[in-house]
Amino acid sequence: MNNNKKGFTLIELLVVIAIIGLLSTLAVVALGSARQKANDAKRLSDIKQIQTALELYYTDQNSYPIAASSVNLGDTTHACLNASGFGATGCATPYMGLVPKGPTAGEYYTYVGSTSTYTISASLQAGAGGFGVGALTASPSGMIGQ
């Protein structure tokens, strides 16, 4: 009688399952990091777009929008930028029809401005564009990270 049983042993199956588990864990960790970097890239892009709109505003109005205290860009009262400054949605002749807000829920970029300067603040999670993790500040002279 030929006793040739074909199949995998329990040990072989457990080893394969352990390897698959390890690989899937590594993939999930890598995707989390990639998501943070993508969010940071969006933050940088958003801030550069806001800076461009503010420079167009300054060219036409000879001043930046005034905000003595910090305001949240992209919220319901600061959703667009027109000749009167930041306003609610539905701005006529906008410099920026929809001011972006942060990529995560409830995240806003903050703005403080006078006639001659402004500051936009954000926070980077993983670092992007040559900037490290932490606070990012934009002004008419450019962006600096901390």
Side-chain angles (χ1 to χ4, degrees):
M1 179 183 265
N2 189 0
N3 203 4
N4 257 350
K5 291 185 180 177
K6 294 183 180 180
F8 296 106
T9 65
L10 181 60
I11 299 297
E12 290 171 332
L13 290 174
L14 289 175
V15 168
V16 169
I17 291 171
I19 291 172
I20 291 171
L22 179 66
L23 291 175
S24 64
T25 301
L26 293 175
V28 168
V29 170
L31 286 176
S33 175
R35 184 175 293 120
Q36 287 180 337
K37 287 181 181 181
N39 284 343
D40 284 349
K42 183 184 182 321
R43 289 179 184 99
L44 290 175
S45 174
D46 288 348
I47 290 174
K48 287 178 184 176
Q49 288 177 2
I50 295 168
Q51 283 182 298
T52 300
L54 287 169
E55 293 307 320
L56 291 170
Y57 180 95
Y58 185 83
T59 299
D60 290 346
Q61 308 297 326
N62 294 321
S63 71
Y64 293 109
I66 297 173
S69 62
S70 179
V71 297
N72 291 331
L73 297 179
D75 67 4
T76 56
T77 56
H78 303 93
C80 63
L81 177 62
N82 64 12
S84 302
F86 290 104
T89 55
C91 291
T93 62
Y95 291 98
M96 183 170 245
L98 181 62
V99 176
K101 54 186 175 183
T104 60
E107 178 186 353
Y108 297 99
Y109 308 117
T110 58
Y111 173 86
V112 177
S114 67
T115 57
S116 61
T117 191
Y118 65 84
T119 302
I120 304 169
S121 300
S123 182
L124 300 180
Q125 297 175 328
F131 297 101
V133 176
L136 178 72
T137 305
S139 67
S141 59
M143 283 193 237
I144 56 170
Q146 301 195 10

